[in-house]
Amino acid sequence: MQGHLKSLISTVKSRNDLVVVLLLLVLVVATRLPLAGKFLYEWDSANFALALERYDILLHQPQPPGYILFVGVGKVFNQIFPDANTTLVFMSIMFSILTVILVYFLGKDLFSKKVAIIGSILLIFSPIFWFYGEIATIYPSESFLAILIAYTSYQAFKGRKSFLYISSLVLGLAGGFRQDLIPFMFPLWMFCLFYHDHHFKRVVTALAVLGVSILLWLVPSIILAPGLENYLHAGGHFSASFTTSSVLFGAPLSNHLLMDGLLFSWLMIGLGFIGGFLIVIFLIWKRKTLLDREMLKNPRLIFLGLWILPSLLFLIFVPLSKPGYTLTFLPALILILGYVVTGFSQNLGVKFNISPGKVVSALIIIYVLLNSVYFLYPYNLNEESTWETQIDHMNTTEKMILGLDLLFMYNQEKITINDQNTEWHLEVIGNLSQNRPQSTQIIIRDIIREDQGFSWRKAMYALPEYSVYYLFDSGNSQLKSNKLNNQVSAYYGKNHTFTISQSSALEIPINSSTERIVWIMDNRSPFFQELQSQLEIKTIHLPNGLNIYYSEVKGKKLDFEVGGFEFKTTNNPS
């Protein structure tokens, strides 16, 4: 009789879990799918799109270190969907669903079913998580892999021996999606591995499984580079990027503090404003309890701390430029927020003689409404003139708007504006060339906002039959890691491949068949002013305030120099 009762209870629990999971799935799909981005969102999105056609990290398809397993999964789904953006957005939604589901199951294990459900709902409506779940990007997969490592490691912590090896396999393979997951999640994995089990053979086996699972993606990555030297050299740009953001690598202190300010704002947005406020109140309210020696030994606190702190401390001391990096530990913060909301509801319920359930419902409704208004209200803070204008050429108002946009605006309108901007550029260029790619060359400079600006990478992906140049020099290298010293570089893209040239002066060949040049650049820059003195430039005004410039060059013999680049007509007809 007792056995039948246990079986019945287990069946009911499983069915209840299934219902919750299905409801969470529907909620994620309903909030993401209708609003998903229609075009590749940023420079890296184009890198991944190109990688689905041809994997080559030397060509930044995708950018180093390669993310080989992410691209591999993408190649599978790309056989189903009609284009790369749809494939990558589908993956973002899919990984968002899986992350939310694991938040539910891990929340049940760590705290309670109530905390698990609350945490899952809060994560769905977290603006940062919501934002990245609608665009072609890798960060939702990082969020999923992080919580998958945490979940499987926690099962090992609970004494489920098979999960010693499952968590080892997951940790190792996660590096094929995002390599930073291995060092960031390794302390948590080690804690769960050694907390109960000191059996030498099992520990060695777990470490061996980890090593082999890393080699499963690392060896193919090196072979495809091809070779270890090429693979290591391709990843050298990461350390260079730190020199502009981290004081530890020689960046100005002001830059470092600015980036830390951005990180703080992204965390507050990720927690949904009211969520960050509740956690701060909770930390002040419970500070004595949290600092108690016995509390500091609490395995759950250690578990969550080892999940959050490695990546958070890295971002504090070596700041990076996107809020997507916070998705590694955002699920952990959201679970803590779920626990905080539950605790507040119980205390407020007792104090004011209100049902704790009603308090929880009220807090969740407020959280969902505020975040939904923030995310869905079409408020266009991001001034378009800051997309393709160098900071040195911005007025004070534009600099303030750019700062506010980077700090606070990660919403649906940002995605919509990116789609509109891309669509308008493609339409105008198609009309100018009369859809004859050989008649038009595209030359791009001055892209500050690589997400919403019509960057060179987006152009070369969306317009593969056109000759597309990106001119890069010391005048348009603010916020860039690879600043040029007395040199210029030119990126030339066509048919989804490209070449790079760098020298003190470079020739930009204008083909004899070219009838016009389309210029995408800042009209306030000295480069543009000098160009305008050499060649007649016409202007097309876009509805968003940006301009597309072009010059009619049919039958003209060009031979002039601007900013280290020599524009010269050649006899090459293609």
Side-chain angles (χ1 to χ4, degrees):
M1 181 67 179
Q2 188 177 3
H4 288 298
L5 184 60
K6 286 183 178 179
S7 177
L8 179 61
I9 293 171
S10 177
T11 302
V12 171
K13 285 182 177 179
S14 297
R15 287 178 179 173
N16 286 341
D17 285 342
L18 180 60
V19 170
V20 172
V21 165
L22 289 175
L23 289 173
L24 293 174
L25 185 154
V26 169
L27 192 53
V28 174
V29 172
T31 52
R32 269 59 171 180
L33 192 59
L35 306 170
K38 306 300 187 294
F39 291 91
L40 297 172
Y41 181 75
E42 59 187 354
W43 186 290
D44 289 354
S45 303
N47 288 346
F48 286 117
L50 290 164
L52 297 182
E53 298 178 7
R54 176 190 173 191
Y55 183 89
D56 189 337
I57 65 170
L58 297 184
L59 293 177
H60 281 223
Q61 297 180 196
Q63 65 277 15
Y67 316 105
I68 190 169
L69 295 185
F70 178 82
V71 174
V73 172
K75 282 180 177 288
V76 173
F77 287 117
N78 203 41
Q79 303 305 309
I80 303 171
F81 296 106
D83 62 86
N85 184 69
T86 303
T87 297
L88 293 168
V89 169
F90 169 82
M91 290 172 66
S92 292
I93 296 173
M94 177 187 74
F95 284 121
S96 296
I97 292 168
L98 295 173
T99 302
V100 169
I101 290 171
L102 277 184
V103 163
Y104 169 70
F105 284 109
L106 183 58
K108 276 182 61 180
D109 277 358
L110 278 173
F111 300 108
S112 66
K113 186 171 183 176
K114 178 186 284 189
V115 171
I117 293 173
I118 293 170
S120 300
I121 295 172
L122 298 181
L123 183 62
I124 290 172
F125 290 94
S126 160
I128 294 293
F129 187 72
W130 194 346
F131 178 82
Y132 280 103
E134 290 190 11
I135 62 175
T137 184
I138 194 172
Y139 298 108
S141 73
E142 181 164 17
S143 189
F144 165 67
L145 268 299
I147 197 169
L148 183 60
I149 294 165
Y151 178 80
T152 55
S153 297
Y154 193 70
Q155 302 312 304
F157 171 83
K158 293 197 312 183
R160 301 176 68 178
K161 295 293 190 291
S162 62
F163 276 88
L164 289 172
Y165 314 120
I166 294 173
S167 63
S168 305
L169 180 66
V170 170
L171 177 63
L173 292 178
F177 287 80
R178 293 281 301 183
Q179 288 190 7
D180 56 355
L181 283 168
I182 295 178
F184 289 161
M185 301 299 292
F186 186 79
L188 178 144
W189 176 78
M190 287 289 287
F191 167 74
C192 293
L193 179 68
F194 285 109
Y195 189 80
H196 293 300
D197 199 328
H198 300 284
H199 192 281
F200 179 75
K201 184 177 179 180
R202 281 197 289 266
V203 170
V204 170
T205 304
L207 289 168
V209 171
L210 173 63
V212 170
S213 60
I214 291 173
L215 292 176
L216 287 175
W217 58 263
L218 182 59
V219 171
S221 297
I222 293 172
I223 291 172
L224 291 172
L228 180 61
E229 184 177 351
N230 283 331
Y231 184 74
L232 295 175
H233 177 74
H237 72 288
F238 282 116
S239 58
S241 66
F242 301 154
T243 61
T244 62
S245 63
S246 173
V247 71
L248 300 179
F249 289 82
L253 179 60
S254 57
N255 283 18
H256 193 125
L257 294 176
L258 173 62
M259 295 301 296
D260 280 346
L262 290 173
L263 173 62
F264 176 76
S265 71
W266 296 337
L267 291 175
M268 293 300 289
I269 297 170
L271 289 168
F273 299 105
I274 185 178
F277 180 68
L278 288 175
I279 286 180
V280 170
I281 292 176
F282 179 81
L283 291 174
I284 295 172
W285 178 32
K286 295 286 188 178
R287 62 187 183 280
K288 290 183 179 179
T289 304
L290 292 171
L291 294 174
D292 181 77
R293 181 173 297 181
E294 291 303 314
M295 185 63 182
L296 293 174
K297 295 179 182 178
N298 186 306
R300 286 189 304 178
L301 185 62
I302 296 171
F303 177 88
L304 290 168
L306 290 175
W307 182 355
I308 296 167
L309 288 176
S311 48
L312 176 59
L313 290 173
F314 181 86
L315 290 177
I316 290 172
F317 291 106
V318 187
L320 296 171
S321 59
K322 293 179 184 177
Y325 291 103
T326 65
L327 293 189
T328 305
F329 56 91
L330 182 61
L333 292 176
I334 290 290
L335 280 174
I336 293 172
L337 178 58
Y339 176 79
V340 168
V341 168
T342 304
F344 272 131
S345 67
Q346 291 171 346
N347 284 277
L348 291 173
V350 171
K351 187 171 182 179
F352 296 102
N353 195 27
I354 306 173
S355 166
K358 291 182 178 178
V359 179
V360 166
S361 298
L363 288 173
I364 291 176
I365 290 170
I366 293 170
Y367 179 94
V368 170
L369 286 176
L370 287 177
N371 288 345
S372 297
V373 169
Y374 163 82
F375 191 79
L376 298 174
Y377 185 78
Y379 186 73
N380 180 15
L381 177 66
N382 32 308
E383 182 75 28
E384 287 86 351
S385 63
T386 66
W387 298 354
E388 293 166 4
T389 301
Q390 291 300 296
I391 293 176
D392 289 349
H393 308 144
M394 292 181 191
N395 59 42
T396 302
T397 301
E398 288 171 336
K399 289 179 181 178
M400 290 176 63
I401 289 172
L402 176 61
L404 289 172
D405 179 59
L406 294 174
L407 279 165
F408 297 118
M409 299 311 295
Y410 292 91
N411 58 0
Q412 178 61 36
E413 185 67 4
K414 200 165 191 174
I415 300 170
T416 301
I417 289 171
N418 173 72
D419 287 343
Q420 290 175 341
N421 188 48
T422 303
E423 186 174 21
W424 288 331
H425 274 79
L426 295 178
E427 181 181 347
V428 167
I429 292 171
N431 290 339
L432 280 173
S433 66
Q434 299 177 332
N435 294 313
R436 293 185 298 115
Q438 72 277 6
S439 72
T440 303
Q441 289 183 231
I442 303 168
I443 297 179
I444 299 176
R445 190 181 179 274
D446 300 320
I447 299 296
I448 280 290
R449 300 289 302 284
E450 292 178 349
D451 49 0
Q452 296 170 43
F454 192 64
S455 67
W456 168 76
R457 200 59 161 164
K458 286 185 187 179
M460 71 158 283
Y461 177 79
L463 301 168
E465 296 179 345
Y466 289 75
S467 294
V468 185
Y469 285 89
Y470 178 38
L471 309 185
F472 193 74
D473 55 64
S474 58
N476 65 327
S477 62
Q478 295 104 323
L479 303 182
K480 303 287 185 179
S481 59
N482 52 337
K483 292 184 179 180
L484 301 171
N485 296 315
N486 301 318
Q487 288 194 318
V488 296
S489 65
Y491 296 70
Y492 170 67
K494 190 171 184 179
N495 296 325
H496 286 180
T497 188
F498 73 93
T499 58
I500 306 173
S501 303
Q502 183 171 318
S503 182
S504 57
L506 288 174
E507 180 179 316
I508 307 299
I510 307 302
N511 302 327
S512 57
S513 62
T514 298
E515 298 175 10
R516 72 196 52 79
I517 302 171
V518 172
W519 310 95
I520 309 293
M521 58 182 63
D522 171 22
N523 65 348
R524 287 182 275 182
S525 66
F527 187 99
F528 185 88
Q529 302 301 323
E530 187 178 353
L531 177 67
Q532 199 170 32
S533 69
Q534 303 276 358
L535 190 65
E536 182 185 4
I537 297 177
K538 300 179 181 180
T539 303
I540 296 175
H541 302 286
L542 299 183
N544 61 356
L546 285 177
N547 298 319
I548 294 178
Y549 307 99
Y550 70 99
S551 299
E552 297 289 354
V553 297
K554 184 178 181 179
K556 295 181 180 179
K557 190 76 172 176
L558 301 182
D559 188 359
F560 63 90
E561 184 177 343
V562 178
F565 299 98
E566 183 181 358
F567 300 90
K568 191 170 185 177
T569 301
T570 67
N571 292 323
N572 184 1
S574 61

